[in-house]
């Protein structure tokens, strides 16, 4: 069977293929495992859920009543995650085994809500950005942070696909760091066209050639990660100060799907602009993730505590 090529027409043909409605609150975060067919979600109902996406099954639900849960990311292992709390009194990050619901390690250092979290794809490192205006660098094997960078705004952070570079966005610019020499400061700084609103989400494409940055004013900026050239900027409805504008590259890096402040989902071609838009009666911006390596499974999105899987029509 030949792999499907993603085109404008294929993207427009996508429709809801499966829905999970087993939530009692808004979904705040989700992540696909890079290798296994697993999805993990975090919800305002203080739960973490593990899904087998290929078979359409919820494998496990774990409650985090004491700490709450906000952001969640897989480690290399498909049944361990790192997540941030959402209780307002303990901003530690936690390394959790989903198999036996045991904490493997606590990472303490932030003093306000963690708003951005990115794990290194090649090593046991990760980086976190907080409203306390710090970015901390961590090694999963030790509780103390390995480095601290101070920022002048809400930070969005991301590792590239090789784990050699990480980027921090705030204040209208993306700052590029060599992961081995981060203490020397950024080796390059890219402007995103004068957009000074809060950075929300920063991501590299799978081949690390492009970056996308979303901001609270509803902008999605696409930047050449080598030259720093601003390739394109798309605009959706702005989001409120407590919300996050989520967006995701397709596996081939040629398309972007994005939420919007009016609850809709928009798709853009990096080459030619807007391709499609799916409306919603919800006013919360949906979360968007594209399954790694899959051109058929477009995205998982959150609408009032539901998870949807969109697929191409047969």
């Amino acid at each position: 069977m030949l792999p499907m090529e993603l085109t404008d027409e294929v993207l427009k043909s996508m429709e809801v293929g499966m829905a999970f409605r087993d939530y009692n609150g808004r979904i705040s975060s989700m992540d696909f495992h890079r290798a296994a067919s697993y999805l993990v979600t975090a919800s305002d109902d203080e739960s973490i859920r593990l899904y087998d996406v290929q078979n359409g099954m919820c494998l496990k639900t774990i409650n985090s009543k004491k700490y709450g849960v906000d952001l969640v990311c897989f480690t290399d292992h498909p049944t361990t995650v790192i997540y941030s709390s959402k209780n307002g009194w303990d901003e530690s990050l936690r390394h959790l085994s989903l198999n036996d619901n045991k904490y493997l390690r606590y990472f303490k250092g932030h003093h306000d809500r963690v708003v951005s979290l990115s794990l290194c794809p090649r090593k046991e490192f990760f980086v976190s950005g907080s409203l306390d205006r710090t970015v901390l660098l961590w090694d999963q094997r030790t509780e103390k942070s390995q480095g601290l960078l101070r920022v002048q705004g809400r930070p969005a952070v991301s590792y590239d696909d090789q784990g050699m570079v990480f980027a921090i966005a705030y204040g209208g610019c993306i700052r590029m760091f060599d992961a081995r020499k981060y203490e020397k400061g950024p080796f390059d700084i890219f402007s995103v066209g004068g957009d000074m609103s809060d950075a929300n989400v920063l991501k590299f494409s799978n081949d690390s050639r492009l970056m996308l940055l979303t901001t609270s004013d509803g902008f999605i900026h696409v930047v050449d990660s080598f030259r720093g050239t601003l390739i394109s900027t798309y605009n959706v409805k702005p989001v409120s100060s407590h919300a996050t504008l989520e967006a995701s590259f397709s596996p081939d890096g040629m398309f972007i799907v994005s939420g919007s402040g009016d609850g809709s989902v928009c798709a853009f071609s990096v080459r030619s602009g807007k391709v499609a838009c799916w409306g919603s009666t919800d006013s919360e911006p949906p979360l968007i993730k594209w399954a790694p390596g899959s051109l058929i499974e477009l995205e998982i999105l959150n609408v009032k505590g539901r998870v949807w899987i969109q697929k191409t029509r047969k």
Side-chain angles (χ1 to χ4, degrees), residues 108-109 136-139 142-148:
K108 298 183 178 181
L136 296 181
L137 287 84
W138 308 89
D139 186 324
T142 182
E143 295 183 354
K144 294 184 178 180
S145 64
Q146 305 300 293
L148 181 151

Side-chain angles (χ1 to χ4, degrees), residues 53 75 89 129 142 145 147 175 185 212 220 242 247 271 276 309:
V53 176
T75 67
W89 57 271
T142 182
S145 64
R175 294 155 177 83
L212 70 78
I220 304 146
H242 68 275
R271 293 173 176 167
I309 299 179

Side-chain angles (χ1 to χ4, degrees), residues 67-135:
Y67 303 112
V69 56
D70 193 9
L71 302 180
V72 64
C73 289
F74 276 113
T75 67
D76 282 343
H77 197 282
T79 58
T80 63
V81 298
I82 292 173
Y83 77 92
S84 64
S85 60
K86 198 175 185 179
N87 53 25
W89 57 271
D90 185 343
E91 304 300 341
S92 301
L93 296 158
R94 291 170 176 80
H95 191 180
L96 175 68
S97 168
L98 300 177
N99 276 333
D100 49 15
N101 193 18
K102 288 186 177 179
Y103 291 113
L104 306 178
R105 194 159 283 110
Y106 296 82
F107 305 100
K108 298 183 178 181
H110 285 301
H111 302 289
D112 205 340
R113 178 187 163 207
V114 174
V115 293
S116 190
L117 184 62
S118 179
L119 272 66
C120 179
R122 304 294 181 183
K123 298 180 180 179
E124 294 180 303
F125 302 137
F126 67 99
V127 61
S128 58
S130 167
L131 294 180
D132 64 11
R133 296 196 170 195
T134 65
V135 170

Side-chain angles (χ1 to χ4, degrees), residues 15-313:
E15 62 183 14
V16 176
M18 188 180 301
F20 299 94
R21 297 180 173 89
D22 47 350
Y23 292 85
N24 296 313
R26 183 186 66 91
I27 300 162
S28 57
S29 177
M30 55 193 170
D31 189 35
F32 283 104
H33 192 268
R34 292 173 61 88
S37 181
Y38 286 159
L39 169 76
V40 66
T41 67
S43 172
D44 285 352
D45 64 10
E46 301 175 327
S47 70
I48 297 172
R49 286 177 170 84
L50 178 67
Y51 291 93
D52 180 333
V53 176
Q54 186 172 359
N55 296 311
M57 297 173 57
C58 182
L59 301 177
K60 185 162 291 191
T61 299
I62 292 176
N63 293 315
S64 179
K65 299 295 184 182
K66 182 177 180 180
Y67 303 112
V69 56
D70 193 9
L71 302 180
V72 64
C73 289
F74 276 113
T75 67
D76 282 343
H77 197 282
T79 58
T80 63
V81 298
I82 292 173
Y83 77 92
S84 64
S85 60
K86 198 175 185 179
N87 53 25
W89 57 271
D90 185 343
E91 304 300 341
S92 301
L93 296 158
R94 291 170 176 80
H95 191 180
L96 175 68
S97 168
L98 300 177
N99 276 333
D100 49 15
N101 193 18
K102 288 186 177 179
Y103 291 113
L104 306 178
R105 194 159 283 110
Y106 296 82
F107 305 100
K108 298 183 178 181
H110 285 301
H111 302 289
D112 205 340
R113 178 187 163 207
V114 174
V115 293
S116 190
L117 184 62
S118 179
L119 272 66
C120 179
R122 304 294 181 183
K123 298 180 180 179
E124 294 180 303
F125 302 137
F126 67 99
V127 61
S128 58
S130 167
L131 294 180
D132 64 11
R133 296 196 170 195
T134 65
V135 170
L136 296 181
L137 287 84
W138 308 89
D139 186 324
Q140 294 179 36
R141 298 163 292 187
T142 182
E143 295 183 354
K144 294 184 178 180
S145 64
Q146 305 300 293
L148 181 151
L149 297 167
R150 298 194 182 277
V151 298
Q152 302 300 314
R154 170 178 167 145
V157 300
S158 182
Y159 271 101
D160 77 336
D161 189 58
Q162 298 300 314
M164 302 298 291
V165 170
F166 67 86
I168 305 173
Y170 65 89
C173 292
I174 301 172
R175 294 155 177 83
M176 309 292 289
F177 291 82
D178 185 329
R180 300 160 299 181
K181 305 173 184 178
Y182 63 86
E183 66 278 0
K184 294 185 177 181
F187 64 81
D188 220 334
I189 300 176
F190 304 147
S191 172
V192 292
D195 179 7
M196 300 298 291
S197 59
D198 282 343
N200 276 194
V201 168
L202 179 65
K203 293 180 181 177
F204 284 86
S205 59
N206 283 347
D207 61 8
S208 297
R209 294 180 177 275
L210 300 175
M211 291 183 291
L212 70 78
L213 171 66
T214 70
T215 66
S216 59
D217 278 357
F219 292 104
I220 304 146
H221 304 288
V222 182
V223 178
D224 185 306
S225 59
F226 293 103
R227 300 180 179 87
T229 309
L230 182 61
I231 295 174
S232 55
T233 295
Y234 313 119
N235 191 214
V236 295
K237 296 292 184 182
V239 298
S240 61
S241 59
H242 68 275
T244 298
L245 180 61
E246 181 75 57
S248 179
F249 278 111
S250 61
D252 60 5
M254 301 308 297
F255 294 89
I256 291 170
V257 285
S258 170
S260 176
D262 61 5
S264 62
V265 177
C266 298
F268 303 92
S269 165
V270 171
R271 293 173 176 167
S272 58
K274 195 168 187 177
V275 173
C277 187
W278 297 274
S280 170
T281 58
D282 195 6
S283 59
E284 287 284 336
L287 298 178
I288 306 290
K289 296 287 183 181
W290 206 304
S294 174
L295 297 183
I296 295 178
E297 289 175 348
L298 168 59
E299 78 263 356
I300 307 293
L301 57 107
N302 163 41
V303 183
K304 291 184 178 177
R306 290 172 288 181
V307 174
W308 303 80
I309 299 179
Q310 294 212 178
K311 297 184 177 182
T312 54
R313 295 192 184 102

